[in-house]
Amino acid sequence: MFPVLFGAGVGWLATRGRPPVLPVRLAVGANAAWTALSPAALVLWLSPTPAGAVWTATQSGVVAALGGLPWLAVRSGASAE
């Protein structure tokens, strides 16, 4: 349920002409946490199959890439002001 609500919130932010900075930073922080915790979970808590390990690592990379885009937007918006 969390990914659906998170995605809806990020989608709402994306529809704003000038999204509020704090919610964008919170979304970036959540993506950063997900990115950091995915490999940690593989090492510390999970015992996935090889396919599961590849899937988790790939998912973490995608979240990192997509999470970096709003961060870049916030940085470029802050420097333009």
Side-chain angles (χ1 to χ4, degrees):
M1 185 63 158
F2 175 76
V4 171
L5 295 175
F6 184 76
V10 170
W12 178 83
L13 285 173
T15 64
R16 308 294 101 197
R18 188 172 180 93
V21 173
L22 180 61
V24 172
R25 287 188 176 164
L26 291 173
V28 170
N31 283 327
W34 184 283
T35 300
L37 289 175
S38 292
L42 281 175
V43 173
L44 300 173
W45 303 298
L46 303 176
S47 301
T49 64
V54 169
W55 178 262
T56 302
T58 302
Q59 182 186 45
S60 177
V62 169
V63 169
L66 293 177
L69 295 175
W71 179 76
L72 291 173
V74 166
R75 283 193 45 172
S76 69
S79 65
E81 293 177 7

